[in-house]
Amino acid sequence: MLDHFIWGAVRRISPEAPVPIVEVTKETTFPGGAANVARNLSAFTSHAYLMGRVGRDSAAGELRRLLHEEGVNTDPMLESSTLPTIAKTRIIARQQHLVRVDRETIQKLSADELDEVSQGVEAMLPELDGLIIEDYGKGFITQAFVDRVLGQAKAAGKLVTVDPSPHNPLSWRGATLVKPNRLEAFAAAGIQDQRTPGPPLEDRRLLEVGEQLLDQWAVGKVLVTLGEQGMMLFQRDSAPHHIPTRAREVYDVSGAGDTAIAFLTLAMAVGLSAEAAAEIANRASGIVVGKLGTARVMEDELLQSFED
C-alpha cells in the first residue's frame, strides 16, 4: 500500500458545509501496509524482499521508488493490469487526523497469481532466514496461499510469522508464531472482550483467548499486542509471559503493528528466544508510536531505548 499524507492548517469552517477548510502546506508519501514492514526490516538488514500485488499506475511507481531508496527489493511483487495499487490518503492539520480517503479494490488472488507466488517463494527460500505473512484482508492472502506457502516453508525449515486479519479468518497451521492485536485475538477466538481492569496476567478472558488460539491456529506461539499494556506471549507448555509497554509518548499508533512483527521476526531469525524477540519488538513499537505518520525505527534509536 502507499500511504499519502496531506498536511495543512485549519483557520476557518467551510461556508458550503460544517467541515474545516484545510490549507495544504505539504504532501508526503511512505510505504504502507506490508511495505512498511519491509522498510522497518531494511534499516537493520540489506536483504529485505517484498511480495504483494500492485497495479500499473503512478502509485506503484512511487511505492517502488520509495522502497528502492530504503533498500527493499521489490522484484517479487506482482503487477495487476486490472487492479489499482492500494493507496490511503490521510489529511492532517495541527497534528490532528481529520479524514482518510482509501483507493482500493478487494479481489482474491487468482489461481495463476497463486502459481506465480508459489514459484517465486520456492526460488527464494534457499536465500531466506524467515518469512512474514502480513494479512490486511485485501484478497492477496487466501487459504490456498497460506497452505501452499506454509507447506513450502515448513519443508525448507524456515521461520514463518503471521500478522492476521480479523476480516479474513484462516488456519495458520505450520506457522512459527501468529501476532494478533487484542481486538483481532478476541474476534478470532469468538470471545467477548470485557476489558477487565488490572494486570494482563490477571485478565482471565485474555488468558483464555491466548490458550484457545494456540489450539485453534495449531501453532506453537501466539503473541497478543495490548497497546498501552504491552504484549502477552503464549507458548505451548509454558506460562504466559507479559512484556510491559516501553512507549513514553504516543502521537500516532499507525504502523505500530508493522514495526512489532518486523522486529519480532528479525530477532527470532538471528536466534533469539521468543521472549527476547518480543522485548525487542515491544521497544521498537514504543519508539515508533512517538512519531507522526508511517515511520520506522533506526538502529541508534533502538540501542538508546536499551541504554535508557
Side-chain angles (χ1 to χ4, degrees):
M1 307 180 199
L2 182 68
D3 281 343
H4 175 213
F5 291 84
I6 297 176
W7 308 83
V10 173
R11 295 185 176 87
R12 58 197 177 103
I13 300 299
S14 171
E16 302 165 357
V19 295
I21 295 175
V22 178
E23 299 173 7
V24 177
T25 55
K26 67 175 180 178
E27 295 186 47
T28 54
T29 53
F30 298 96
N36 189 43
V37 177
R39 71 190 287 258
N40 270 277
L41 290 170
S42 70
F44 288 76
T45 174
S46 57
H47 303 286
Y49 300 86
L50 180 64
M51 178 178 282
R53 185 169 56 189
V54 295
R56 295 176 181 172
D57 48 31
S58 59
E62 177 69 0
L63 187 55
R64 284 194 177 93
R65 183 189 69 80
L66 292 168
L67 290 167
H68 289 167
E69 286 180 353
E70 296 186 350
V72 176
N73 189 317
T74 62
D75 290 346
M77 291 203 305
L78 276 65
E79 188 176 273
S80 172
S81 60
T82 59
L83 299 178
T85 302
I86 296 175
K88 298 185 176 183
T89 299
R90 297 170 176 86
I91 301 176
I92 299 172
R94 294 184 179 178
Q95 299 186 354
Q96 293 296 313
H97 189 162
L98 300 183
V99 68
R100 193 180 88 183
V101 180
D102 288 4
R103 297 177 178 89
E104 64 180 19
T105 300
I106 307 301
Q107 184 172 303
K108 288 189 175 182
L109 205 64
S110 69
D112 288 342
E113 287 175 324
L114 177 58
D115 287 340
E116 185 178 347
V117 166
S118 179
Q119 292 166 11
V121 170
E122 191 69 34
M124 295 174 65
L125 271 175
E127 304 300 322
L128 300 179
D129 295 299
L131 296 88
I132 299 172
I133 298 178
E134 187 78 21
D135 187 11
Y136 292 91
K138 305 302 183 185
F140 189 83
I141 309 298
T142 62
Q143 191 63 61
F145 168 95
V146 170
D147 293 343
R148 185 90 64 92
V149 172
L150 287 182
Q152 292 173 306
K154 184 176 182 179
K158 302 297 182 179
L159 165 75
V160 181
T161 60
V162 176
D163 206 341
S165 167
H167 308 296
N168 189 32
L170 300 172
S171 169
W172 300 108
R173 181 182 297 274
T176 309
L177 179 148
V178 181
K179 184 209 72 64
N181 61 31
R182 184 180 183 115
L183 178 66
E184 293 164 344
F186 274 82
I191 296 175
Q192 185 177 0
D193 186 2
Q194 296 182 338
R195 289 279 179 176
T196 305
L201 284 170
E202 296 177 9
D203 188 334
R204 181 181 58 81
R205 291 209 169 211
L206 174 61
L207 298 179
E208 180 185 350
V209 165
E211 295 301 325
Q212 179 175 321
L213 291 180
L214 286 173
D215 292 330
Q216 182 175 318
W217 284 333
V219 295
K221 299 176 177 62
V222 170
L223 180 69
V224 181
T225 58
L226 304 171
E228 70 278 4
Q229 289 189 310
M231 301 177 175
M232 184 82 85
L233 177 65
F234 297 90
Q235 302 181 86
R236 293 189 182 277
D237 304 319
S238 298
H241 178 68
H242 178 239
I243 306 100
T245 185
R246 302 293 180 178
R248 292 184 173 181
E249 295 179 291
V250 177
Y251 289 106
D252 190 347
V253 297
S254 62
D258 299 340
T259 300
I261 194 73
F263 281 86
L264 176 79
T265 310
L266 190 60
M268 292 178 68
V270 299
L272 294 184
S273 68
E275 292 89 348
E279 175 63 33
I280 289 174
N282 192 44
R283 288 177 181 270
S285 298
I287 295 167
V288 83
V289 297
K291 302 180 179 185
L292 275 175
T294 311
R296 67 173 178 166
V297 178
M298 304 307 292
E299 183 177 334
D300 59 336
E301 294 174 312
L302 186 59
L303 291 172
Q304 187 64 46
S305 76
F306 281 93
E307 293 173 4
D308 292 343

